[in-house]
Amino acid sequence: QRRTHLALCKLGNSFRTSCRLFSSDMGDSEYNQITHGILEALSDKFFELEDHKQMPGFDVEYSDGVLRMNLGDGNNYVINKQPPNKQIWLSSPLCGPKRYNWDSTEKKWINTRDSHCLVSLLNAELKQLTDVDLQLSPKDLYEEIMKDKE
């Protein structure tokens, strides 16, 4: 049984409805493919930080569904798979813990509380902490995942 989320979006003086399928609706294989793909792509992008700025203690490690990044000075990120919920969880030094569901319509991971995008948040926080704009894009990362699938 697939669950759908009905969203009302105000467009001018009218409302538009949209139907979205979230990560709880996807199968295990699709969830594993998308989460592994995004964590691997983010890992590659995070390594680019070192090309732009020297940070003592900088390290990135991706293993067994857990992506860890140490920016030094106690600024540690952990992004990990949560297969039972079909979510991705983030632990950030700036905003603390967050949970994300896959939005199959928008092709991005969105926060379960306020619907912000995981990739957009990471881009903003990393720019704030490092002064480096990785120009992360949910669309580009998704296309990279699908390209690697082929």
Side-chain angles (χ1 to χ4, degrees), residues 32-139:
N32 287 324
Q33 175 191 350
I34 290 173
T35 54
H36 174 72
I38 191 71
L39 293 174
E40 193 169 70
L42 286 172
S43 174
D44 292 344
K45 295 293 183 187
F46 291 165
F47 272 113
E48 292 178 17
L49 285 169
E50 202 169 34
D51 295 340
H52 300 282
K53 184 173 184 169
Q54 293 297 317
M55 294 174 278
F58 177 79
D59 188 39
V60 177
E61 177 187 343
Y62 174 54
S63 176
D64 297 325
V66 180
L67 174 58
R68 291 180 176 86
M69 179 173 54
N70 181 349
L71 297 174
D73 295 328
N75 293 313
N76 297 302
Y77 283 86
V78 179
I79 307 169
N80 61 291
K81 294 170 54 171
Q82 286 296 317
N85 310 24
K86 293 194 174 97
Q87 293 180 327
I88 285 182
W89 289 5
L90 166 71
S91 175
S92 158
L94 297 181
C95 70
K98 302 279 184 192
R99 297 178 183 199
Y100 296 86
N101 287 327
W102 177 249
D103 182 330
S104 63
T105 302
E106 297 291 324
K107 307 294 188 215
K108 60 185 177 182
W109 290 95
I110 58 169
N111 182 262
T112 58
R113 293 189 181 239
D114 66 9
S115 298
H116 72 264
C117 172
L118 168 67
V119 173
S120 299
L121 176 78
L122 287 170
N123 204 48
E125 286 194 5
L126 292 173
K127 186 174 182 181
Q128 180 181 344
L129 290 170
T130 67
D131 294 323
V132 176
D133 186 356
L134 289 179
Q135 300 179 344
L136 299 173
S137 155
K139 180 182 178 214

